[in-house]
Amino acid sequence: MERSATAVWRGGPGAGEGQVTTSSGVVQNALYAFGSSFGNDPCTSPTEMLAAALASCTSMMVAQELSRIQIRSEGITTHATLKLEQQADGWRVVKGIVKISVQVGEIDPSEFHKAIVEAASKCPISRALNAPITVESKLEPVFVHANA
């Protein structure tokens, strides 16, 4: 499988801006800059897009792993944060924090923990980062609404 994106940059590194488009067309000419915003325009950054890729990939891997053990989730929410630091050889992602919240019915907590660890280890985005990633997870109850 191959996926691609095209980015166009104009200006200097600090004061410039760019637009990024993905091959699927879901992201089209999204404004990006070094920081998280540029002027009053809504804007993303490469690090924010990488955090989005990590969060979405992890959610998919959790769904896959739960399905493998025949557990159906009602929802998986993953929040990913990446920490960047400038080092002698340039900027690097030095740490990732992934917080996963899963709505499921009955599940053994140890089985849940094992599934989360397995899913996190299978995410190709986290593997590509080459930085330590902390994974936190919690089970959320599934509420059943009774008919009144």
Side-chain angles (χ1 to χ4, degrees):
M1 174 188 322
E2 290 185 5
R3 298 301 262 174
S4 65
T6 301
V8 176
W9 184 263
R10 290 184 175 78
E17 67 180 27
Q19 292 180 321
V20 62
T21 299
T22 60
S23 60
S24 67
V26 172
V27 175
Q28 291 187 358
N29 298 319
L31 186 64
Y32 74 98
F34 182 72
S36 62
S37 65
F38 181 79
N40 294 323
D41 296 326
C43 179
T44 188
S45 69
T47 306
E48 183 180 68
M49 289 185 283
L50 189 54
L54 177 59
S56 57
C57 180
T58 301
S59 283
M60 288 190 309
M61 293 297 105
V62 169
Q64 179 179 315
E65 196 59 30
L66 290 174
S67 176
R68 188 186 67 72
I69 61 172
Q70 300 176 347
I71 300 292
R72 183 178 179 274
S73 72
E74 296 297 320
I76 301 166
T77 302
T78 304
H79 178 85
T81 302
L82 295 177
K83 182 176 181 182
L84 238 59
E85 285 184 2
Q86 189 167 17
Q87 298 181 345
D89 61 347
W91 288 93
R92 290 197 179 271
V93 174
V94 296
K95 181 180 182 180
I97 301 168
V98 176
K99 296 179 180 181
I100 307 162
S101 176
V102 182
Q103 288 183 319
V104 294
E106 296 286 324
I107 187 172
D108 178 282
S110 64
E111 192 175 13
F112 173 73
H113 177 73
K114 183 179 174 185
I116 294 296
V117 169
E118 188 68 23
S121 73
K122 291 180 178 178
C123 172
I125 303 301
S126 62
R127 290 178 181 180
L129 288 175
N130 196 25
I133 297 175
T134 302
V135 177
E136 301 172 18
S137 63
K138 68 178 180 176
L139 285 168
E140 295 288 340
V142 175
F143 296 104
V144 177
H145 298 283
N147 291 335

